[in-house]
Amino acid sequence: QDHDLRDHGGGGTGDIPAQIEARVVIHAPRERPWQALIDPKQLGAWFNVALENETIAPGVELRGAILHP
């Protein structure tokens, strides 16, 4: 279901979704994105972010700085 988040009058939560989802199409061999998901340097390069983490694991918060073009 699509939601218009611009005007809900009064600032209440109303029917605002609890999460935001997006679909991304990556034009690369299947192995490349999966490798990037486990390597912080590769993941950071894909999203232009300098991640501080040395590893990526379930439940671990990723921290880093957004790199501006």
Side-chain angles (χ1 to χ4, degrees), residues 12-41:
T13 57
D15 64 348
I16 297 174
Q19 63 190 31
I20 297 172
E21 295 181 12
R23 175 175 254 183
V24 177
V25 177
I26 300 173
H27 298 284
R30 217 174 264 204
E31 300 79 27
R32 185 139 185 249
W34 283 111
Q35 185 60 36
L37 290 174
I38 61 171
D39 181 343
K41 289 184 181 185

Side-chain angles (χ1 to χ4, degrees), residues 57-69:
V60 174
E61 182 178 303
L62 296 177
R63 299 177 81 45
I66 297 171
L67 304 172
H68 295 282

Side-chain angles (χ1 to χ4, degrees), residues 32 35-56 62-63 67:
R32 185 139 185 249
Q35 185 60 36
L37 290 174
I38 61 171
D39 181 343
K41 289 184 181 185
Q42 287 186 46
L43 185 62
W46 278 64
F47 293 100
N48 204 27
V49 175
L51 293 174
E52 298 171 7
N53 301 62
E54 292 189 23
T55 60
I56 297 175
L62 296 177
R63 299 177 81 45
L67 304 172

